[in-house]
């Protein structure tokens, strides 16, 4: 339990930085629930609660960006969303944009660009 708390100890900073970039967080307390290994995704946001895979607990905080992405969904996906699933890509697109903006604010432009490069490589691999 202590290792999970340490791994996610920067969540408040992530949320504060996202609020500073966007608008105040409207959902009350932000909570992450780390689920069993059978959870099939890195994370899944809901208002008030984000479900996360235990794969984000690596011991070096290298996967905390998953939480940044799910936090950004609090604005682009939960607060403002698309009419139907046909335009779902807009939620993901704006969320990734906000995630990388916040990463750049916190860690610098080089970090955000590396994150984008890795994300683009993953996208091309999936295509």
């Amino acid at each position: 339990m202590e290792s999970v708390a340490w791994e996610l100890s920067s969540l408040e900073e992530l949320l504060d930085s996202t609020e500073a970039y966007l608008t105040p967080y409207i959902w009350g307390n932000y909570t992450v629930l780390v689920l069993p290994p059978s959870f099939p995704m890195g994370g899944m946001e809901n208002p008030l609660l984000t479900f996360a895979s235990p794969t984000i607990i690596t011991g070096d905080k290298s996967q905390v960006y998953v939480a940044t992405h799910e936090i950004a969904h609090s604005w682009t996906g939960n607060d403002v969303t698309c009419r139907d699933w046909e335009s779902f890509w807009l939620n993901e697109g704006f969320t990734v944009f906000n995630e990388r903006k916040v990463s750049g604010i916190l860690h610098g432009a080089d970090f955000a660009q590396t994150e984008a490069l890795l994300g683009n490589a993953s996208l091309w691999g999936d295509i």
Side-chain angles (χ1 to χ4, degrees), residues 19-74:
E19 283 184 299
Y21 178 67
L22 295 169
T23 61
Y25 180 77
I26 64 171
W27 302 107
N29 291 330
Y30 181 74
T31 304
V32 174
L33 177 63
V34 179
L35 296 174
S38 60
F39 184 64
M41 298 166 208
M44 175 57 70
E45 95 295 337
N46 300 280
L48 306 176
L49 179 65
T50 289
F51 298 127
S53 165
T55 60
I56 72 167
I57 310 303
T58 59
D60 62 5
K61 296 188 176 191
S62 63
Q63 298 299 309
V64 174
Y65 75 89
V66 170
T68 309
H69 180 88
E70 301 311 329
I71 286 170
H73 267 305
S74 296

Side-chain angles (χ1 to χ4, degrees), residues 43-113:
M44 175 57 70
E45 95 295 337
N46 300 280
L48 306 176
L49 179 65
T50 289
F51 298 127
S53 165
T55 60
I56 72 167
I57 310 303
T58 59
D60 62 5
K61 296 188 176 191
S62 63
Q63 298 299 309
V64 174
Y65 75 89
V66 170
T68 309
H69 180 88
E70 301 311 329
I71 286 170
H73 267 305
S74 296
W75 285 265
T76 53
N78 295 333
D79 187 20
V80 175
T81 194
C82 299
R83 180 185 65 186
D84 55 37
W85 286 99
E86 182 178 355
S87 299
F88 176 72
W89 65 273
L90 288 168
N91 286 354
E92 286 302 318
F94 285 123
T95 297
V96 169
F97 176 84
N98 290 325
E99 168 195 349
R100 295 198 178 133
K101 280 295 199 181
V102 171
S103 292
I105 290 166
L106 289 172
H107 306 293
D110 288 344
F111 182 92
Q113 288 174 346

